[in-house]
Amino acid sequence: MSDNVVKTDEKKQHFDDIYVEPTPVPYKEKILDKLEYVSDNFNRQTFDRLILEWAQNKAENDGPIRFVDLAGCFGNTTLATLYGMTYDDIRDNWKSEDECFKINGARRFEAVTTGIDQSTNALAYGRDAGIYNKTIEADLNNPSEDAAKELRSTLINADVLICTAALVYFTTDTIRKLVGAFAEGKTGAGGFMLVNFLNPFALEKADETKCILLEYLDFVGSIASRHRRLSPLEIENYPGEEWALLEIWVLKRKE
């Protein structure tokens, strides 16, 4: 993993120590369980409502979907959206060091998945478990020249791009580069992006990010939902709050 740490709201809990574990079991115990990280139920529901039918039809007619999980860590949202797994399904699958390497589900359409993250261990797990077919390890705010080229090519060619609970970690310049690359992909053939905005973290930055997304892409639909419970540090920083909330947006390439 890069020596650079992710950039985040100073009032938001850092989970860097969990993201570098060799398996997702600590992530399951300390985040999914302890903080009731239920957001993937809502990511799946939104994906199913606005993207799934298109992806299944395209895969059937044109071959495997190029599916990219940006800052996907261990791949829980790929399991939710591509495999259709619930929050409880994922927790059950990740309950032990042995069982987490056998995914208890099947892909709902043919896909070639690319996991992008700066955690070496999370990407290695994703490959070994078969969640990711390909991986790109990069500090997205400061990628090497070679990594930047690979990222750009991957995003341009993606059919589906998901980036959940992660935009808060990127600078606005990085977001513009990543979204701009995805937007350059072939028009007329679709191309969907599913993203999250977190509340109460970095709200002004979220507004800037929405403007960037709407500059490059067309809005499709959205939902508001729970994300996870706040950590003790976050409760101290945001008195009176108990839950982090989400806006889940789906966008597509402009025609």
Side-chain angles (χ1 to χ4, degrees), residues 16-28:
D16 296 358
D17 58 322
I18 298 173
Y19 298 150
V20 299
E21 292 282 351
T23 77
V25 175
Y27 179 94
K28 179 261 183 191

PDB file of all heavy atoms in Angstrom, residues 16-28:
ATOM      1  N   ASP A  16      -7.926   3.206   8.275  1.00  0.00           N
ATOM      2  CA  ASP A  16      -6.769   2.755   7.512  1.00  0.00           C
ATOM      3  C   ASP A  16      -6.224   1.430   8.017  1.00  0.00           C
ATOM      4  O   ASP A  16      -5.766   0.582   7.228  1.00  0.00           O
ATOM      5  CB  ASP A  16      -5.652   3.800   7.557  1.00  0.00           C
ATOM      6  CG  ASP A  16      -6.039   5.113   6.901  1.00  0.00           C
ATOM      7  OD1 ASP A  16      -7.163   5.194   6.380  1.00  0.00           O
ATOM      8  OD2 ASP A  16      -5.223   6.049   6.919  1.00  0.00           O
ATOM      9  N   ASP A  17      -6.235   1.207   9.333  1.00  0.00           N
ATOM     10  CA  ASP A  17      -5.663  -0.021   9.891  1.00  0.00           C
ATOM     11  C   ASP A  17      -6.457  -1.250   9.471  1.00  0.00           C
ATOM     12  O   ASP A  17      -5.896  -2.346   9.350  1.00  0.00           O
ATOM     13  CB  ASP A  17      -5.610   0.069  11.421  1.00  0.00           C
ATOM     14  CG  ASP A  17      -6.981   0.297  12.050  1.00  0.00           C
ATOM     15  OD1 ASP A  17      -7.788   1.052  11.465  1.00  0.00           O
ATOM     16  OD2 ASP A  17      -7.241  -0.284  13.115  1.00  0.00           O
ATOM     17  N   ILE A  18      -7.749  -1.086   9.220  1.00  0.00           N
ATOM     18  CA  ILE A  18      -8.592  -2.213   8.805  1.00  0.00           C
ATOM     19  C   ILE A  18      -8.433  -2.492   7.313  1.00  0.00           C
ATOM     20  O   ILE A  18      -8.422  -3.644   6.873  1.00  0.00           O
ATOM     21  CB  ILE A  18     -10.062  -1.926   9.149  1.00  0.00           C
ATOM     22  CG1 ILE A  18     -10.215  -1.771  10.673  1.00  0.00           C
ATOM     23  CG2 ILE A  18     -10.974  -3.030   8.635  1.00  0.00           C
ATOM     24  CD1 ILE A  18     -11.585  -1.324  11.104  1.00  0.00           C
ATOM     25  N   TYR A  19      -8.284  -1.424   6.525  1.00  0.00           N
ATOM     26  CA  TYR A  19      -8.200  -1.589   5.076  1.00  0.00           C
ATOM     27  C   TYR A  19      -6.949  -2.351   4.635  1.00  0.00           C
ATOM     28  O   TYR A  19      -6.902  -2.871   3.520  1.00  0.00           O
ATOM     29  CB  TYR A  19      -8.219  -0.223   4.384  1.00  0.00           C
ATOM     30  CG  TYR A  19      -9.478   0.582   4.597  1.00  0.00           C
ATOM     31  CD1 TYR A  19      -9.441   1.970   4.595  1.00  0.00           C
ATOM     32  CD2 TYR A  19     -10.708  -0.034   4.785  1.00  0.00           C
ATOM     33  CE1 TYR A  19     -10.591   2.725   4.783  1.00  0.00           C
ATOM     34  CE2 TYR A  19     -11.857   0.711   4.986  1.00  0.00           C
ATOM     35  CZ  TYR A  19     -11.796   2.090   4.980  1.00  0.00           C
ATOM     36  OH  TYR A  19     -12.938   2.831   5.165  1.00  0.00           O
ATOM     37  N   VAL A  20      -5.921  -2.419   5.480  1.00  0.00           N
ATOM     38  CA  VAL A  20      -4.679  -3.093   5.087  1.00  0.00           C
ATOM     39  C   VAL A  20      -4.583  -4.511   5.640  1.00  0.00           C
ATOM     40  O   VAL A  20      -3.569  -5.172   5.460  1.00  0.00           O
ATOM     41  CB  VAL A  20      -3.435  -2.283   5.519  1.00  0.00           C
ATOM     42  CG1 VAL A  20      -3.428  -0.928   4.851  1.00  0.00           C
ATOM     43  CG2 VAL A  20      -3.370  -2.131   7.035  1.00  0.00           C
ATOM     44  N   GLU A  21      -5.631  -5.007   6.275  1.00  0.00           N
ATOM     45  CA  GLU A  21      -5.641  -6.387   6.754  1.00  0.00           C
ATOM     46  C   GLU A  21      -5.626  -7.351   5.561  1.00  0.00           C
ATOM     47  O   GLU A  21      -6.096  -7.015   4.472  1.00  0.00           O
ATOM     48  CB  GLU A  21      -6.882  -6.641   7.607  1.00  0.00           C
ATOM     49  CG  GLU A  21      -6.897  -5.894   8.928  1.00  0.00           C
ATOM     50  CD  GLU A  21      -6.004  -6.538   9.974  1.00  0.00           C
ATOM     51  OE1 GLU A  21      -5.500  -7.646   9.733  1.00  0.00           O
ATOM     52  OE2 GLU A  21      -5.819  -5.915  11.041  1.00  0.00           O
ATOM     53  N   PRO A  22      -5.126  -8.579   5.750  1.00  0.00           N
ATOM     54  CA  PRO A  22      -5.039  -9.527   4.629  1.00  0.00           C
ATOM     55  C   PRO A  22      -6.361 -10.150   4.212  1.00  0.00           C
ATOM     56  O   PRO A  22      -6.460 -10.719   3.127  1.00  0.00           O
ATOM     57  CB  PRO A  22      -4.071 -10.597   5.140  1.00  0.00           C
ATOM     58  CG  PRO A  22      -4.176 -10.530   6.628  1.00  0.00           C
ATOM     59  CD  PRO A  22      -4.424  -9.083   6.948  1.00  0.00           C
ATOM     60  N   THR A  23      -7.373 -10.088   5.069  1.00  0.00           N
ATOM     61  CA  THR A  23      -8.706 -10.591   4.716  1.00  0.00           C
ATOM     62  C   THR A  23      -9.746  -9.583   5.199  1.00  0.00           C
ATOM     63  O   THR A  23      -9.449  -8.717   6.031  1.00  0.00           O
ATOM     64  CB  THR A  23      -9.019 -11.955   5.370  1.00  0.00           C
ATOM     65  OG1 THR A  23      -9.343 -11.755   6.760  1.00  0.00           O
ATOM     66  CG2 THR A  23      -7.844 -12.919   5.230  1.00  0.00           C
ATOM     67  N   PRO A  24     -11.006  -9.728   4.734  1.00  0.00           N
ATOM     68  CA  PRO A  24     -12.048  -8.799   5.158  1.00  0.00           C
ATOM     69  C   PRO A  24     -12.685  -9.137   6.505  1.00  0.00           C
ATOM     70  O   PRO A  24     -13.651  -8.461   6.897  1.00  0.00           O
ATOM     71  CB  PRO A  24     -13.077  -8.916   4.031  1.00  0.00           C
ATOM     72  CG  PRO A  24     -12.943 -10.316   3.552  1.00  0.00           C
ATOM     73  CD  PRO A  24     -11.476 -10.623   3.647  1.00  0.00           C
ATOM     74  N   VAL A  25     -12.181 -10.136   7.210  1.00  0.00           N
ATOM     75  CA  VAL A  25     -12.813 -10.518   8.479  1.00  0.00           C
ATOM     76  C   VAL A  25     -12.774  -9.379   9.503  1.00  0.00           C
ATOM     77  O   VAL A  25     -13.806  -9.063  10.115  1.00  0.00           O
ATOM     78  CB  VAL A  25     -12.197 -11.818   9.030  1.00  0.00           C
ATOM     79  CG1 VAL A  25     -12.769 -12.133  10.414  1.00  0.00           C
ATOM     80  CG2 VAL A  25     -12.460 -12.980   8.075  1.00  0.00           C
ATOM     81  N   PRO A  26     -11.645  -8.699   9.728  1.00  0.00           N
ATOM     82  CA  PRO A  26     -11.676  -7.545  10.642  1.00  0.00           C
ATOM     83  C   PRO A  26     -12.597  -6.429  10.158  1.00  0.00           C
ATOM     84  O   PRO A  26     -13.253  -5.769  10.969  1.00  0.00           O
ATOM     85  CB  PRO A  26     -10.216  -7.091  10.680  1.00  0.00           C
ATOM     86  CG  PRO A  26      -9.433  -8.305  10.332  1.00  0.00           C
ATOM     87  CD  PRO A  26     -10.274  -9.019   9.299  1.00  0.00           C
ATOM     88  N   TYR A  27     -12.661  -6.219   8.846  1.00  0.00           N
ATOM     89  CA  TYR A  27     -13.579  -5.230   8.275  1.00  0.00           C
ATOM     90  C   TYR A  27     -15.022  -5.600   8.614  1.00  0.00           C
ATOM     91  O   TYR A  27     -15.828  -4.752   9.015  1.00  0.00           O
ATOM     92  CB  TYR A  27     -13.372  -5.201   6.758  1.00  0.00           C
ATOM     93  CG  TYR A  27     -14.238  -4.251   5.979  1.00  0.00           C
ATOM     94  CD1 TYR A  27     -13.799  -2.972   5.673  1.00  0.00           C
ATOM     95  CD2 TYR A  27     -15.488  -4.644   5.508  1.00  0.00           C
ATOM     96  CE1 TYR A  27     -14.591  -2.101   4.932  1.00  0.00           C
ATOM     97  CE2 TYR A  27     -16.287  -3.780   4.772  1.00  0.00           C
ATOM     98  CZ  TYR A  27     -15.829  -2.509   4.486  1.00  0.00           C
ATOM     99  OH  TYR A  27     -16.620  -1.647   3.764  1.00  0.00           O
ATOM    100  N   LYS A  28     -15.335  -6.877   8.486  1.00  0.00           N
ATOM    101  CA  LYS A  28     -16.670  -7.363   8.821  1.00  0.00           C
ATOM    102  C   LYS A  28     -16.978  -7.133  10.295  1.00  0.00           C
ATOM    103  O   LYS A  28     -18.052  -6.639  10.653  1.00  0.00           O
ATOM    104  CB  LYS A  28     -16.765  -8.846   8.457  1.00  0.00           C
ATOM    105  CG  LYS A  28     -18.103  -9.512   8.774  1.00  0.00           C
ATOM    106  CD  LYS A  28     -18.045 -10.291  10.070  1.00  0.00           C
ATOM    107  CE  LYS A  28     -19.366 -11.010  10.328  1.00  0.00           C
ATOM    108  NZ  LYS A  28     -19.450 -11.571  11.696  1.00  0.00           N
TER     109      LYS A  28
END
